[in-house]
Amino acid sequence: MSRIYNFCAGPATLPVEVLEEAQKDLVDFRGCGMSIMECSHRGKEYMAVQEEAIANINELLNVPDTHEVLLLQGGASGQFAMIPMNLLPADGVADYTNSGAWAIKAIKEAKNVGQVNVIADCGKDVPTRVPSPDALQQTPGAAYLHITSNETISGAQWKTFPTSEAPIVADMSSDILSRSIDVSTFGLIYAGAQKNLGPSGVTLVIVRKDLAAAGNSTIPNIMRYQTHIDNGSMYNTPPCFAIYILALTTRWLKNAGPEAMYKQNVDKAKRLYDALDASAFYTGTAALECRSDMNVTFRLPSEELEAQFAKESTAAGLMQLKGHRSVGGLRASIYNAFPTDGVDALVAFMKDFERANG
Amino acid sequence: MSRIYNFCAGPATLPVEVLEEAQKDLVDFRGCGMSIMECSHRGKEYMAVQEEAIANINELLNVPDTHEVLLLQGGASGQFAMIPMNLLPADGVADYTNSGAWAIKAIKEAKNVGQVNVIADCGKDVPTRVPSPDALQQTPGAAYLHITSNETISGAQWKTFPTSEAPIVADMSSDILSRSIDVSTFGLIYAGAQKNLGPSGVTLVIVRKDLAAAGNSTIPNIMRYQTHIDNGSMYNTPPCFAIYILALTTRWLKNAGPEAMYKQNVDKAKRLYDALDASAFYTGTAALECRSDMNVTFRLPSEELEAQFAKESTAAGLMQLKGHRSVGGLRASIYNAFPTDGVDALVAFMKDFERANG
């Protein structure tokens, strides 16, 4: 078996130790005579898995008692609808910040539900960036303020979060558990799992309990946060296998030490940004103060060279470096489980490529 | 490794061949150097998986061109909301039939969205049953008629489907692909995967294209069938691993031969019902003409004996025979992948138990 370096933006690299444990247990889960996929979601085998997943999240993020950890389905795209359905009253307004493609999706869906104020818009800025937290013209009495913590496509990341009198709602799909955050300062945090948490198919939501309780109670039960709080994320049958992998991945992070992991993330990103800055051949896409530690985006002198770079890096076992189809360029996604060795291999490839084509 | 007989109602037994293939490929999917959980959902490795899953469903169910196969998230509980949100206009009414616990959940959620007529109610009948298809007092001009094809908890199943001028919407979560159906006679079919199709976390929807297109376009995009049709079930990142297992499970069914499987299902159920009918000690829960081929429910002379039966059968490696907590009794769920050997083992255990305690 030859594992390649997978720079995919998500679904993304998982810790190989997690995959090996899942492989060992796949047909006979911890000696119970069934796969974890075959276990009743209300049986002791699976219940222990889900409890561990939620306990790991609580511990890693130091989630206060004021907040509830939920494991749902539907991804960030599902949350784009659930958030305004729950938290945006018919006579209210929600503030949204436009930082790029994912923020735009959140805004579009919220507008299907209620009144939205886009209070900062740098979605088309070049270099790519997120709004400055100090420059937000917030709406007095807004139901909430929505931000996209990290823009996977543009490679721009909030380095300092804004303050607000309204609850802050943050899409952390692509940087949850990659750095230290203070959960108590957020009204709601959500994240599709398929970058730092596990495979696709499960969505982490951390919601302030009072906000969930005060949410619109006339919407369908499946869309209500309170429903899922009341039922311990088992209102409907959970995506058991995805949650099992999330439990193993968060256990791996606990064992690795989250603070060490966060330092390593900064270090991995710095190696790539240093390589970009040391060369006139490569140009980072994001404004310096907004450079993402998760998705390092860059351009080459021409689209032809970018296509050649993508092709030759793939042949060299450095996979999925092609930028998102909507923006082009190159992108290296380097979440928690992506190894430093792979970053170094990319830096070496970049130097070789520049020497041959610069 | 010692596999046990798993009578769980869902998540349920999967074909051991499927589990073994998934195990073999878990760290390095078909030699690509990544787990299928790590592959981009837009890359060629995963795309081939999803295409196979949808092609298998189309072939096995002979889905006509008028209908679209979708693979979504949220389970049947999600569909309880999506169906009326899409198909029940503000000035319309939907007909629902109450056949038990799952129908009641569908009705409850639909009432959160619009006007519902419960046109038949045998949800509390003893013995358990589904409505008679000929006795339905359908509402002229109803937006649709909803039925629950098989009630997992009560063990009652529609043996003949009703006819209607309205589109028929059927929850087939617990009997999809267990018997021959004519998809063209339904407006919409939906099924959580975790009984006959694969693991939890993916939901099959087969929807008539004209109904989806005419659906309410003012609801959130994530809830619209048309959104998912337009995006080939990739509007949001799909639950890739669950769909992979669904692809393998439907391939297994194709190889086994669906007609042979359907005959085997009838035969497996008959062995259990014959055992019930041959004894005064055991009493089948469902009316004779509604007996489910998927969930065989029965009672013993006392709750004490039922508890003893559940305990001793578990010790004998016949797992999860305890009935649903809301109704008590015993339940043997025997979906496609449940082996005839396991049914025979249960019949033998029942005889022994009756001899010792009858």
Side-chain angles (χ1 to χ4, degrees):
Chain A
M1 201 274 297
S2 163
R3 296 263 302 169
I4 50 81
Y5 289 125
N6 175 15
F7 290 92
C8 188
T13 292
L14 291 165
V16 69
E17 299 91 330
V18 165
L19 295 172
E20 286 169 350
E21 176 165 347
Q23 181 175 47
K24 178 174 70 66
D25 275 356
L26 198 81
V27 179
D28 182 15
F29 177 69
R30 299 174 189 171
C32 80
M34 298 179 279
S35 172
I36 188 66
M37 288 184 274
E38 302 175 299
C39 291
S40 169
H41 57 294
R42 299 197 184 275
K44 67 179 189 301
E45 293 86 3
Y46 176 72
M47 287 293 286
V49 166
Q50 181 154 326
E51 282 161 15
E52 182 190 347
I54 289 174
N56 288 350
I57 295 287
N58 271 305
E59 182 182 332
L60 285 163
L61 289 170
N62 196 21
V63 177
D65 285 345
T66 46
H67 287 60
E68 186 87 14
V69 170
L70 300 174
L71 297 173
L72 307 180
Q73 296 183 54
S77 298
Q79 292 307 304
F80 296 162
M82 275 180 76
I83 290 160
M85 288 175 80
N86 280 267
L87 305 182
L88 179 49
D91 59 352
V93 60
D95 281 348
Y96 276 71
T97 55
N98 180 4
S99 49
W102 287 98
I104 289 168
K105 290 185 190 222
I107 291 165
K108 188 178 168 199
E109 195 73 303
K111 284 181 173 172
N112 277 328
V113 177
Q115 199 190 331
V116 167
N117 260 6
V118 179
I119 61 163
D121 190 343
C122 53
K124 291 185 175 168
D125 282 13
V126 178
T128 59
R129 62 171 66 253
V130 299
S132 167
D134 301 328
L136 303 179
Q137 301 290 321
Q138 299 186 44
T139 309
Y144 58 87
L145 165 63
H146 183 279
I147 65 168
T148 307
S149 170
N150 182 70
E151 284 283 355
T152 323
I153 292 177
S154 74
Q157 184 176 34
W158 292 80
K159 297 297 178 177
T160 308
F161 294 115
T163 54
S164 177
E165 288 182 14
I168 299 176
V169 174
D171 179 357
M172 294 197 183
S173 292
S174 52
D175 66 358
I176 187 84
L177 283 176
S178 73
R179 55 174 170 170
S180 215
I181 57 167
D182 179 355
V183 172
S184 72
T185 62
F186 293 90
L188 190 149
I189 291 168
Y190 63 103
Q194 62 267 21
K195 287 104 158 60
N196 273 321
L197 294 172
S200 64
V202 57
T203 313
L204 172 65
V205 173
I206 306 173
V207 60
R208 232 174 62 200
K209 292 174 189 172
D210 63 319
L211 287 177
N216 187 343
S217 62
T218 67
I219 60 176
N221 289 300
I222 188 87
M223 303 302 280
R224 292 186 67 206
Y225 294 116
Q226 192 59 46
T227 302
H228 298 290
I229 292 175
D230 291 344
N231 291 278
S233 296
M234 287 219 190
Y235 172 69
N236 52 330
T237 309
C240 300
F241 191 80
I243 291 175
Y244 163 60
I245 299 294
L246 184 148
L248 294 183
T249 304
T250 49
R251 183 196 292 180
W252 169 85
L253 178 56
K254 278 174 56 184
N255 291 341
E259 291 304 329
M261 184 66 66
Y262 303 162
K263 270 191 200 161
Q264 182 179 292
N265 286 334
V266 172
D267 171 69
K268 285 189 303 192
K270 187 171 184 301
R271 289 174 195 230
L272 281 171
Y273 288 120
D274 284 351
L276 296 181
D277 292 342
S279 152
F281 186 72
Y282 300 104
T283 310
T285 310
L288 292 184
E289 70 276 18
C290 301
R291 282 176 161 179
S292 169
D293 289 333
M294 296 287 99
N295 311 98
V296 177
T297 50
F298 56 100
R299 306 295 310 231
L300 270 62
S302 72
E303 291 187 11
E304 291 68 30
L305 281 166
E306 288 169 350
Q308 186 186 339
F309 185 101
K311 191 175 167 189
E312 293 184 11
S313 57
T314 299
L318 306 169
M319 313 297 272
Q320 300 282 350
L321 282 162
K322 200 173 162 189
H324 191 268
R325 63 196 182 287
S326 63
V327 294
L330 283 305
R331 172 174 57 174
S333 297
I334 48 172
Y335 304 113
N336 287 348
F338 191 91
T340 303
D341 283 356
V343 170
D344 292 341
L346 174 56
V347 169
F349 177 86
M350 289 167 72
K351 286 183 182 161
D352 289 346
F353 189 86
E354 181 179 357
R355 237 184 324 266
N357 302 281
Chain B
M1 203 276 298
S2 162
R3 297 263 303 170
I4 50 82
Y5 290 125
N6 175 15
F7 290 92
C8 188
T13 292
L14 291 166
V16 70
E17 300 90 331
V18 165
L19 295 172
E20 286 170 349
E21 176 165 348
Q23 182 175 47
K24 178 173 70 63
D25 275 356
L26 198 81
V27 180
D28 182 15
F29 176 69
R30 299 175 190 170
C32 79
M34 297 178 279
S35 172
I36 188 66
M37 287 184 275
E38 302 175 299
C39 292
S40 169
H41 57 296
R42 300 198 184 275
K44 66 180 191 302
E45 293 85 3
Y46 176 72
M47 287 292 289
V49 166
Q50 183 154 323
E51 281 161 16
E52 182 189 347
I54 290 175
N56 287 351
I57 296 287
N58 271 306
E59 181 182 332
L60 284 163
L61 288 171
N62 196 20
V63 177
D65 286 344
T66 46
H67 288 60
E68 185 87 17
V69 171
L70 299 174
L71 297 174
L72 307 180
Q73 297 184 52
S77 298
Q79 292 307 305
F80 295 163
M82 275 181 75
I83 289 159
M85 288 175 80
N86 279 268
L87 305 182
L88 179 48
D91 59 352
V93 59
D95 281 349
Y96 276 71
T97 55
N98 180 3
S99 48
W102 287 100
I104 289 167
K105 289 184 188 222
I107 290 164
K108 188 178 168 199
E109 195 74 303
K111 285 181 172 172
N112 277 327
V113 177
Q115 198 189 333
V116 167
N117 259 7
V118 178
I119 60 164
D121 190 342
C122 52
K124 291 184 175 167
D125 282 14
V126 177
T128 59
R129 62 170 65 253
V130 299
S132 167
D134 303 326
L136 303 178
Q137 301 290 319
Q138 298 186 45
T139 309
Y144 58 87
L145 166 62
H146 183 278
I147 66 168
T148 307
S149 171
N150 182 70
E151 285 283 354
T152 324
I153 292 177
S154 75
Q157 185 176 34
W158 291 82
K159 297 296 180 180
T160 308
F161 293 116
T163 54
S164 177
E165 290 182 13
I168 299 175
V169 174
D171 179 357
M172 294 196 183
S173 292
S174 52
D175 66 358
I176 188 83
L177 283 175
S178 74
R179 56 174 169 171
S180 217
I181 58 167
D182 179 355
V183 171
S184 72
T185 62
F186 293 90
L188 190 150
I189 292 168
Y190 63 102
Q194 62 268 19
K195 285 102 158 66
N196 273 321
L197 294 172
S200 63
V202 58
T203 314
L204 171 66
V205 173
I206 306 172
V207 60
R208 231 175 63 201
K209 292 174 187 172
D210 63 319
L211 287 177
N216 187 343
S217 61
T218 67
I219 60 175
N221 288 301
I222 189 86
M223 303 301 280
R224 292 186 67 205
Y225 294 117
Q226 192 59 45
T227 302
H228 298 290
I229 292 175
D230 291 343
N231 291 279
S233 296
M234 287 220 188
Y235 172 69
N236 53 331
T237 308
C240 301
F241 191 81
I243 291 174
Y244 162 60
I245 299 294
L246 184 148
L248 294 183
T249 304
T250 49
R251 184 197 292 181
W252 168 85
L253 179 55
K254 277 173 56 184
N255 291 340
E259 291 304 327
M261 184 66 65
Y262 303 161
K263 269 191 199 159
Q264 181 178 293
N265 286 334
V266 172
D267 172 69
K268 286 188 304 191
K270 186 172 186 301
R271 289 173 195 230
L272 281 171
Y273 288 119
D274 284 351
L276 296 180
D277 292 342
S279 151
F281 186 72
Y282 299 104
T283 310
T285 311
L288 292 184
E289 69 277 17
C290 302
R291 281 176 161 180
S292 169
D293 289 332
M294 296 287 100
N295 311 98
V296 177
T297 51
F298 56 100
R299 307 294 312 229
L300 269 63
S302 73
E303 291 186 11
E304 291 68 30
L305 280 167
E306 288 170 349
Q308 185 186 339
F309 185 100
K311 190 176 169 187
E312 292 184 11
S313 57
T314 299
L318 307 169
M319 313 296 273
Q320 300 283 349
L321 282 161
K322 199 173 162 188
H324 191 268
R325 62 196 183 287
S326 63
V327 296
L330 284 304
R331 171 175 58 173
S333 296
I334 48 172
Y335 305 113
N336 286 347
F338 191 91
T340 303
D341 283 356
V343 170
D344 291 341
L346 174 56
V347 169
F349 177 86
M350 288 167 71
K351 286 183 181 160
D352 289 347
F353 189 87
E354 180 178 359
R355 236 183 326 264
N357 301 282

